[in-house]
Amino acid sequence: MVIIVYGVSGSGKSTIGKLLAEKLSVPFYDADDYHPKSNIEKMKSGDPLNDNDRKPWLQELSKLVSKKSCVLACSALKEKYRVTLSEGENNIHWVHLEGSFNLIAQRMLSRGNHFMKVEMLQSQFDTLEKSSYGLHIDVSQKPQEIIAEIIDNLKIENHMSKTSFGVIGLGVMGKSISLNIAEKGHTLSVYNRSTEGEENIVNDFIDACEFEHVKGFTDLKEFVDSIATPRKILMMIKAGPVVDYVLQELIPILSEGDTIIDGGNSHYQDTRRRHELLSSHNLHFIGSGVSGGEEGARRGPSIMPGGPKESYELVAPILESIAAKDINGNPCCRYIGPDGAGHFVKMIHNGIEYAEMELLAESYAVLQNQMSYPEMADLFDEWNNSEHASYLLEITRDILRNKDEGRYVLDLILDKAGNKGTGSWSSKAALDLGVANTMMADAVFARYISSYKSQRVALVANLGDTEKEEVDLDVETLSKAYKFVRLINHHQGFEVMRQASEAYDWSLDLSNIASIWTSGCIIRSAFMQEAISRYDIHDSLLDHEDILHELKELENAVQLVIAHSLITRTAVPVISSAYQYWIAMTTQRLPANMIQAQRDYFGAHTYKRVDKDESESFHTLWNG
Ligand code: 6PG
């Protein structure tokens, strides 16, 4: 929707137009700024402009207003000028500022350096063809009264006062983040489709919403039109093809320079592709990890934005205002890197999350025969008041205490773990990059094996009871092993990011990432706080002498936990995986010489020799 404020020179078009545009959060254009040089010269020399002079100027203005909602201040005295102005846009609201010759002449005299001389005012009055349509406003009123009258008369406030931000998708995360945004004072438009089963989502949200500056839409075009340009829109929708679908719908109705943020758990390669697509339409695209679940989204998530730095700058103030704060009060939202970097980092966050969760589940399994749930909760509570402190440990403690009608909820939950894919993506990405990211993969496989529930039950029924011992494990030993496994898990996760950064030329700042992960996200922990300075000094935890020696000291505890798990037949794939990685990484000569010999035997793949330069390759005629 376009509003053109017109009237003779000195009627206050620019002042009123600017105030109106500000009030409606739309751009303001002053037609005088678009005069060709020749017109300005002519006016300065005292010659009035003729219709031919005005034609290209009006056509230029017509193009300008056809692009987006705005307020234009323009003299537009003759009907045919107004017709030319409406060529590109027929939904124009005309506001004629009217006043007596004396009042306007006086105002012009007080303005001094305007290029329009007061002597020419009479010719303007003579030229003016009053319209029978649009609003006619008396300029003797105060500017604020004029604005109020325009808004009131055009009944445009609700339709036209543009919001500063948009959210697409009112799922659990979308709703929470919308409330967070509104709470920070940003005017907001929210959109959700109204297909079967989702008809009432928007209305219900708006009805329950305590903030008045939130508008709801089920029509995507109306939603887009309600946001001030350049628009900033956050998509909180399910990762996958639906993101492409929504982008295809959005592209034709957006304006150049708008920014779309994908806040879902999209695959980073999809984000790279989408970034290319949106750039080709001169749209900004930010692929952003958002962590913290429902509560985090509402109170302050950890945000990992990726894309061009200049695109991030456009949305930084709003994203940083809604993010969690670290211990120094800085937002847990900082620029991560180009194209898919933000989603890559979020994916690795989830991979670390998978292994952390599995480690806690394995600890619970190890302790199950020797402790009641409340005792275990007390132990985890103790741990949580130590260097082990983490959000995941805290919720595990709470879960162990939760009862439903006298029974532990945990005992009522079927032991089949679900997943939405980010854990397996991290593992695949590490495999592709050649990084030994063993723990995330084992955590994913542990979930897969858990899902073979009926096969597991059938196999147990077939085999009967298997021999196992019931021995207690010293909890101090478990505590040490817990620390060891977490160190290896964080090392592996950060190592994938380090290598991805090199492969994709992302210049990831690992210390910066650790600081974003100290608050708001699922893997926030006391160790993450320490990781900030660790990664500030070295790119690898294993490059820290003290960490290396600590791992060595903790090694015996891990051996004891694994030994205990073997005799009690407790599956501990992630604990084992961490230890296997450690043994291999600290073994000077691995049996990989045998692998090389086998490869060379059946496939003539050649091998390197310990006594020769690595640039040389050798082959043996093994059975010849
Ligand atoms: C977060 C979480 C969140 C969610 C994932 C993992 O950081 O807030 O990682 O993104 O938990 O969807 O889910 P799955 O365990 O189902 O793969």
Side-chain angles (χ1 to χ4, degrees), residues 173 265 290-294 304 346 349-350 353-354 357 418-423 447 520-523:
M173 291 292 282
N265 276 330
V290 176
S291 175
E294 184 178 2
M304 293 144 254
K346 175 60 181 16
H349 165 285
N350 282 26
E353 171 188 300
Y354 269 54
M357 290 165 73
N419 79 92
K420 294 204 194 75
T422 44
R447 290 196 191 187
C521 75
I522 303 295
I523 59 170

Side-chain angles (χ1 to χ4, degrees), residues 353-388:
E353 171 188 300
Y354 269 54
E356 290 273 286
M357 290 165 73
E358 175 63 21
L359 169 62
L360 280 159
E362 290 175 15
S363 303
Y364 150 71
V366 164
L367 294 171
Q368 229 167 351
N369 287 329
Q370 67 189 68
M371 273 185 175
S372 67
Y373 286 179
E375 283 168 339
M376 242 188 265
D378 289 347
L379 176 70
F380 287 170
D381 190 51
E382 214 177 280
W383 284 11
N384 204 41
N385 288 313
S386 73
E387 59 182 338
H388 295 328

Side-chain angles (χ1 to χ4, degrees), residues 8 40 55 82 91 135 143 283 300 317 333 385 432 515 526 562 570:
V8 295
I40 296 178
K55 186 97 184 174
R82 296 190 284 267
N91 188 16
L135 267 182
L283 295 165
C333 169
N385 288 313
D432 290 342
S515 73
I562 294 172
T570 310

Side-chain angles (χ1 to χ4, degrees), residues 355-508:
E356 290 273 286
M357 290 165 73
E358 175 63 21
L359 169 62
L360 280 159
E362 290 175 15
S363 303
Y364 150 71
V366 164
L367 294 171
Q368 229 167 351
N369 287 329
Q370 67 189 68
M371 273 185 175
S372 67
Y373 286 179
E375 283 168 339
M376 242 188 265
D378 289 347
L379 176 70
F380 287 170
D381 190 51
E382 214 177 280
W383 284 11
N384 204 41
N385 288 313
S386 73
E387 59 182 338
H388 295 328
S390 78
Y391 168 73
L392 283 169
L393 179 59
E394 190 183 310
I395 65 163
T396 306
R397 172 203 64 197
D398 295 348
I399 289 166
L400 285 161
R401 288 179 175 151
N402 218 296
K403 280 186 166 181
D404 181 17
E405 294 180 357
R407 294 185 65 185
Y408 286 104
V409 179
L410 204 46
D411 288 338
L412 300 172
I413 300 177
L414 186 64
D415 54 333
K416 283 168 84 168
N419 79 92
K420 294 204 194 75
T422 44
S424 75
W425 293 351
S426 319
S427 310
K428 282 186 218 163
L431 283 169
D432 290 342
L433 289 161
V435 188
N437 188 25
T438 59
M439 293 175 64
M440 285 181 200
D442 272 310
V444 174
F445 290 143
R447 290 196 191 187
Y448 291 175
I449 295 173
S450 79
S451 71
Y452 309 154
K453 176 75 179 178
S454 52
Q455 284 158 273
R456 290 192 282 123
V457 170
L459 286 170
V460 173
N462 193 358
L463 292 172
D465 274 347
T466 320
E467 232 177 87
K468 59 183 174 196
E469 281 190 39
E470 287 199 3
V471 280
D472 283 1
L473 178 70
D474 169 36
V475 291
E476 196 42 44
T477 303
L478 183 62
S479 167
K480 286 182 179 164
Y482 183 77
K483 177 165 191 185
F484 176 99
V485 177
R486 291 191 67 220
L487 278 170
I488 300 288
N489 182 30
H490 285 78
H491 162 67
Q492 287 193 349
F494 277 76
E495 190 59 16
V496 188
M497 295 191 289
R498 187 180 71 78
Q499 304 229 18
S501 179
E502 273 178 27
Y504 298 121
D505 202 13
W506 280 339
S507 305
L508 295 182

